[in-house]
């Protein structure tokens, strides 16, 4: 059994415990129903992850929340409920160590129940203790086999997150994963449509100026893109803006 399969089995067990427990049931039934609506209505990726962290404050026993997302060549901070979370994130990303890094690189849940007693990351422990943070929970966000990021919950007190809180965090992370994947697909489609429009306009300029057909105009744009190592849409944009091809 892989680490991810093991984590999934634990998650299912924790979720079942949460649903059988009297405490979180109203949260699961109402807060997450509202979250689904909010995420559906979010206009883009930024609005989506912001809705996730704001709902974390309602659904969880956390003081702060944040989301780190996968990005080309690494990771980026998607949303936070307090500037302190940005600071905590950036310090770990810069140092390349800490529970956040373990969650990001391993794709597994990392729960530090009492930061002051943590021994694995001494420098991180000292900083978090000085910031007044007592416990943290990092939950990975998956879309199929793709790691999208990590949802992080912080509390000023130690022992703040119990099994029910962890199970609810996994529910929230799954909602977030679906919403983020959908938002990214939407942005990719929009960008693709915009690129096609730009290329079409640039082709029209070449066709009108030089009496070319569509195939020849596209070949010219593609050749300039390859020779200048410039994206095709950027070549098209420059032609539209300057009426000249890049040198």
């Amino acid at each position: 059994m892989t680490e991810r399969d093991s984590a999934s089995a634990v998650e299912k067990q924790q979720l079942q415990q949460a649903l059988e427990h009297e405490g979180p049931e109203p949260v699961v039934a109402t807060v997450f129903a509202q979250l689904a609506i909010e995420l559906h209505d979010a206009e883009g990726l930024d609005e989506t992850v912001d809705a996730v962290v704001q709902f974390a404050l309602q659904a969880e026993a956390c003081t702060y929340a944040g989301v780190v997302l996968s990005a080309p060549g690494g990771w980026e901070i998607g949303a936070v409920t307090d500037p302190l979370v940005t600071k905590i994130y950036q310090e770990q990303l810069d140092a390349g160590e800490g529970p956040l890094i373990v969650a990001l690189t391993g794709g597994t849940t990392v729960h530090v129940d009492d930061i002051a007693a943590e021994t694995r990351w001494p420098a991180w422990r000292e900083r978090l203790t000085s910031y007044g943070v007592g416990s943290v929970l990092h939950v990975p966000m998956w879309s199929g086999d793709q790691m999208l990021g990590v949802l992080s919950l912080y509390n000023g007190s130690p022992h703040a997150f119990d099994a029910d809180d962890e199970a609810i965090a996994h529910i929230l992370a799954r909602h977030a994963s679906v919403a983020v994947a959908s938002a990214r697909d939407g942005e990719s489609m929009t960008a693709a449509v915009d690129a096609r429009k730009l290329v079409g306009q640039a082709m029209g300029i070449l066709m009108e100026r030089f009496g070319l057909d569509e195939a020849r105009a596209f070949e010219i744009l593609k050749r300039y893109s390859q020779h200048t190592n410039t994206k095709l849409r950027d070549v098209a944009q420059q032609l539209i803006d300057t009426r000249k091809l890049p040198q």
Side-chain angles (χ1 to χ4, degrees), residues 69-136:
L69 296 173
S70 61
W75 307 95
E76 63 182 11
I77 300 173
V80 298
T81 60
D82 191 277
L84 178 60
V85 180
T86 299
K87 186 175 184 180
I88 294 171
Y89 275 159
Q90 197 60 56
E91 288 174 345
Q92 292 180 81
L93 292 172
D94 291 342
E97 65 175 11
L100 171 66
I101 304 303
V102 173
L104 289 172
T105 58
T108 57
T109 300
V110 180
H111 181 193
V112 181
D113 195 42
D114 185 356
I115 290 175
E118 179 57 58
T119 59
R120 287 172 291 180
W121 310 285
W124 172 84
R125 178 193 65 218
E126 295 301 321
R127 287 194 300 269
L128 270 288
T129 301
S130 70
Y131 299 154
V133 181
S135 52
V136 60

Side-chain angles (χ1 to χ4, degrees), residues 160-176:
F161 304 113
D162 59 19
D164 289 337
D165 293 313
E166 188 167 336
I168 292 173
H170 280 282
I171 299 174
L172 180 55
R174 286 201 297 276
H175 275 277

